[in-house]
Amino acid sequence: MAPQWIGDAVMTEPLLRRLYARGEQITVGALPWVAPVYRAMPQVHDVIEFPFAHGGLQLRARRLLAGRIAGQFDTAYVLPNSLKSALLPLLAGIPKRVGYLGEARIGLLTHRLKNPAKGQRPPMVAFYSALSGDTALDADQPELRLPPADVDQALAELGLQRGTYVVFAPGAEYGPAKRWPAAHFSALAQKLNLPVVLLGSGKEAALCEEIAAPVNALRAGQCLNFAGKTTLVQALCAISAARSLVSNDSGLMHVAAAFGVPQVAIFGSSSPLHTPPLNERATVLWLKTDAAYQPPLDCAPCFERECPLGHTRCLNDISAERVLAALPV
């Protein structure tokens, strides 16, 4: 049972690699918008796309799916902490059901791990990997792989060539307190000698156009706004073949890290101590740990969707010049 967010899905890969290494054949149940992430994990045998929507138990749909998969699995690893995510394995009669305690799931899970106390939770990759029952998890690092032919096909569909562009992922589903300002992204794009590919969901198309328009007014075609115009598979392929990537703390940040793409990850209201890009070629910019930045950001990380103090200094005060200096291009 997979998480519902792209970044969380990526961070489960080391767990699946551990299970595969000890001989388990892995089928992942995932919502359609994260299923392509699991198809980029060679250790995954199959992916079942769930017919569920956000919200509600949708008990009838879960019963129907449970009937179809009954008897096929010995163990279920329930990665989300919600009650409804634990219902399907129970309804399907899967004998061993592993997950963290939460939302009154004591009767739904057969093997339960205690949720660490708030403030003591390890980085998310280790949090997921602990469901394997293994120890020494600190070195776990997500890895994604795609067949080269699939990447070449996607690049041809998008009119791109390997290593000739920089990807910007300016969105962050959580809220504006995690988004580096559009004007800063525009300023950075104007300083680059390579084309910029803007990736995101349809909800982020306007944000990406706000970034692209002033740049393209100066240099036509410098920014290619693909937000909402690609499949997730195409976006994964485009990231895997990019020269480098600039992003906020987002799902696509974790995708780039898992492909080993050189990247700059900009953190604001969240913390790279909890969800870092696990990539030797990543540079994290977070003013909270910058001793030279004054006055210190005592408010960070606040984990709020919008800045509760109204200034969003944690992001506004990271300049395009600083990101450029950190970006391998």
Side-chain angles (χ1 to χ4, degrees), residues 23-328:
E24 298 191 30
Q25 182 172 289
I26 301 167
T27 295
V28 175
L31 293 165
W33 52 88
V34 298
V37 174
Y38 289 100
R39 295 191 177 103
M41 299 181 189
Q43 67 269 38
V44 173
H45 172 73
D46 194 15
V47 178
I48 298 173
E49 293 195 17
F50 289 158
F52 310 139
H54 279 301
L57 286 179
Q58 301 165 78
L59 193 55
R60 184 174 181 275
R62 293 179 196 277
R63 287 187 184 278
L64 288 172
L65 181 56
R68 292 202 295 270
I69 67 172
Q72 297 183 33
F73 304 103
D74 299 318
T75 305
Y77 296 90
V78 184
L79 276 57
N81 270 344
S82 64
L83 182 147
K84 63 183 179 182
S85 64
L87 279 175
L88 180 61
L90 176 70
L91 295 171
I94 299 175
K96 182 178 179 181
R97 304 181 298 277
V98 183
Y100 282 97
L101 282 170
E103 283 199 7
R105 304 199 307 176
I106 290 177
L108 304 182
L109 301 172
T110 61
H111 293 68
R112 301 176 293 274
L113 279 71
K114 287 186 177 180
N115 262 302
K118 189 174 182 180
Q120 297 180 12
R121 179 177 286 191
M124 283 302 294
V125 169
F127 178 75
Y128 286 129
S129 290
L131 291 173
S132 67
D134 296 342
T135 56
L137 309 174
D138 292 344
D140 278 8
Q141 183 169 315
E143 299 175 7
L144 296 178
R145 279 184 280 166
L146 291 167
D150 291 358
V151 176
D152 290 340
Q153 179 180 337
L155 294 179
E157 292 166 353
L158 298 173
L160 301 174
Q161 294 183 333
R162 288 177 181 269
T164 63
Y165 56 91
V166 177
V167 168
F168 285 2
E173 185 76 17
Y174 188 71
K178 288 180 71 173
R179 298 186 201 124
W180 198 44
H184 289 24
F185 272 109
S186 280
L188 177 60
Q190 291 176 36
K191 297 176 184 298
L192 294 175
N193 294 322
L194 291 173
V196 171
V197 171
L198 293 156
L199 294 177
S201 68
K203 296 178 184 177
E204 293 154 353
L207 168 65
C208 289
E209 189 55 33
E210 184 181 349
I211 294 166
V215 181
N216 289 336
L218 297 173
R219 280 188 288 169
Q222 168 70 3
C223 284
L224 304 174
N225 182 2
F226 286 155
K229 300 175 183 176
T230 69
T231 64
L232 179 55
V233 173
Q234 288 175 322
L236 296 180
C237 291
I239 290 172
S240 73
R243 176 78 66 88
S244 55
L245 176 139
V246 179
S247 74
N248 305 306
D249 173 18
S250 67
L252 295 187
M253 175 195 76
H254 292 290
V255 167
F259 280 124
V261 175
Q263 64 185 135
V264 174
I266 304 169
F267 279 73
S269 65
S270 58
S271 168
L273 303 178
H274 184 52
T275 55
L278 295 174
N279 178 8
E280 288 80 5
R281 306 171 81 186
T283 298
V284 171
L285 296 181
W286 194 38
L287 292 179
K288 171 70 174 182
T289 54
D290 184 352
Y293 179 72
Q294 297 295 326
L297 275 175
D298 295 331
C299 54
C302 67
F303 297 107
E304 298 290 342
R305 294 179 185 273
E306 298 187 18
C307 177
L309 302 178
H311 53 61
T312 322
R313 286 172 47 213
C314 56
L315 292 170
N316 289 333
D317 289 353
I318 298 176
S319 68
E321 290 78 12
R322 183 166 186 174
V323 176
L324 179 64
L327 184 65

